Amino acid sequence: MTDRVLAIDGGNSKTAVLLVDADGKVLAQVRGPGAPPQTVGMKRGLDVFEGLAREAAAQAGLSPDEPIAAHTAAFLAGADLPREEEDLTRAISERGWSTTTFVGNDTFALLRAGTTSGVGVAVVCGAGINAVGVAHDGRTHRFPALGAISGDWGGGGQLGNDALWHAVRAEDGRGKPTELLPALLEHYGEKSILTVVEKIHFEEIALDPHALCPLVFEVAARGDAVALAQVDRLVEEIVLLSTVSMRKLDLLDEPVDVILGGGVLTNTGEVVVGPVREKVLEAAPLAQVRVVDVPPVVGAALAGLDFIGASPGAELRLRSAYDDHQPAAASPLDVAASG
């Protein structure tokens, strides 16, 4: 069997799958809905992944009765704790897609996508927020990333929810005036934010905080103090995640890559990235802070190629050829990139 790698980047809002050969040639690429097993259930989540994997195999012209790949590299949102990674590895292995399987948190795929070695720090800010660090000697640092119970703040969901919170308090007098209020009223087509709250409460409309997230940046760009404070807090949180990871791994005084990814970061340009870069360099002057230039699923594939011992030329081929297979760029509303 040709040494193929099945790479899965399973985010909260979307799943990307790549099938590549040992030389780094893209055999197939498919995209589908997000299906984090911790959210939708193990069977349902893996059924979604399997459907996409089988679609990729069909695109590559493989027979339905042959293994899809020699190795599966699955990097998944929600695989935040070692126990979860072990459970997912076992469950995916039982599906029989490949001879060997590795499951890790999707932020590790971002780090590999942005580096040639997988060493450095990666921060993802999409639907949620998370960070990982890997030192040259193999030591890792990561956060539980379980939401408020593990001290997290940030991501598109957080920003959207907070925008509604500020708008409600601006209308009823508990909070400061903010242009977030008219922005949300226009978004929902209502004259009172209380009407919006009541409709959400009675499930007459859905609360989609990710759709509200871009409004925060639009209002902040007009100089609104409340929205600007949200953006400033997000910057501080990303800097904290980066610098804490570097400090834990003794990387603050070393040349180190800091890779930024996720829809909130990649779709806001220098509004967030610029201040993050400036503040990270104050703490780690030798750091190289940059936004990832290929999707994390490429990092998953590269990690898989590392596992099977592919030649360095395979990485070059995959990176150089990927533009021909890349899907359309994400819209400003597509803020979920796992985490």
Side-chain angles (χ1 to χ4, degrees), residues 174-324:
R174 287 179 291 173
K176 298 178 180 179
T178 172
E179 289 301 309
L180 287 169
L181 175 56
L184 266 68
L185 291 176
E186 181 179 357
H187 174 80
Y188 284 108
E190 299 289 351
K191 295 182 178 180
S192 168
I193 204 70
L194 179 58
T195 302
V196 173
V197 170
E198 289 180 352
K199 288 186 175 183
I200 292 172
H201 175 71
F202 289 113
E203 299 183 349
E204 296 170 354
I205 60 174
L207 171 60
D208 183 1
H210 308 303
L212 302 181
C213 175
L215 300 179
V216 176
F217 293 98
E218 292 173 13
V219 172
R222 300 197 292 268
D224 181 81
V226 172
L228 282 169
Q230 282 189 265
V231 175
D232 288 346
R233 184 176 180 187
L234 179 64
V235 168
E236 290 297 333
E237 193 69 19
I238 294 169
V239 172
L240 274 172
L241 290 166
S242 305
T243 55
V244 167
S245 292
M246 284 188 279
R247 184 169 67 251
K248 296 288 187 179
L249 296 174
D250 303 314
L251 295 174
L252 285 174
D253 297 319
E254 301 287 334
V256 59
D257 291 315
V258 177
I259 308 301
L260 307 177
V264 173
L265 285 169
T266 59
N267 291 319
T268 55
E270 288 294 298
V271 173
V272 176
V273 174
V276 166
R277 182 183 295 111
E278 179 181 343
K279 291 178 180 295
V280 167
L281 290 177
E282 290 176 1
L286 300 180
Q288 295 288 327
V289 183
R290 61 181 184 275
V291 176
V292 68
D293 58 0
V294 295
V297 70
V298 175
L302 291 171
L305 291 171
D306 294 340
F307 183 89
I308 67 171
S311 68
E315 175 164 354
L316 295 174
R317 183 173 189 180
L318 175 55
R319 288 187 183 277
S320 63
Y322 188 74
D323 284 343
D324 295 333

Side-chain angles (χ1 to χ4, degrees), residues 58-208:
Q59 282 187 17
L62 303 183
S63 169
D65 58 357
E66 67 176 307
I68 298 174
H71 179 67
T72 297
F75 291 83
L76 310 176
D80 296 309
L81 301 172
R83 184 194 304 182
E84 292 169 324
E85 292 173 337
E86 292 167 6
D87 291 344
L88 285 161
T89 299
R90 183 167 50 254
I92 290 176
S93 297
E94 291 172 354
R95 293 283 177 135
W97 305 336
S98 58
T99 304
T100 56
T101 300
F102 176 85
V103 175
N105 183 267
D106 58 340
T107 315
F108 285 103
L110 171 64
L111 180 58
R112 186 63 181 88
T115 64
T116 57
S117 62
V119 172
V121 172
V123 181
V124 61
C125 185
I129 193 166
N130 197 5
V132 297
V134 178
H136 292 281
D137 60 8
R139 288 177 297 130
T140 62
H141 177 262
R142 57 197 296 184
F143 298 89
L146 302 176
I149 64 170
S150 60
D152 304 337
W153 188 94
Q158 180 85 57
L159 290 173
N161 280 323
D162 283 5
L164 179 58
W165 187 88
H166 284 296
V168 169
R169 294 171 71 89
E171 182 175 273
D172 69 19
R174 287 179 291 173
K176 298 178 180 179
T178 172
E179 289 301 309
L180 287 169
L181 175 56
L184 266 68
L185 291 176
E186 181 179 357
H187 174 80
Y188 284 108
E190 299 289 351
K191 295 182 178 180
S192 168
I193 204 70
L194 179 58
T195 302
V196 173
V197 170
E198 289 180 352
K199 288 186 175 183
I200 292 172
H201 175 71
F202 289 113
E203 299 183 349
E204 296 170 354
I205 60 174
L207 171 60
D208 183 1

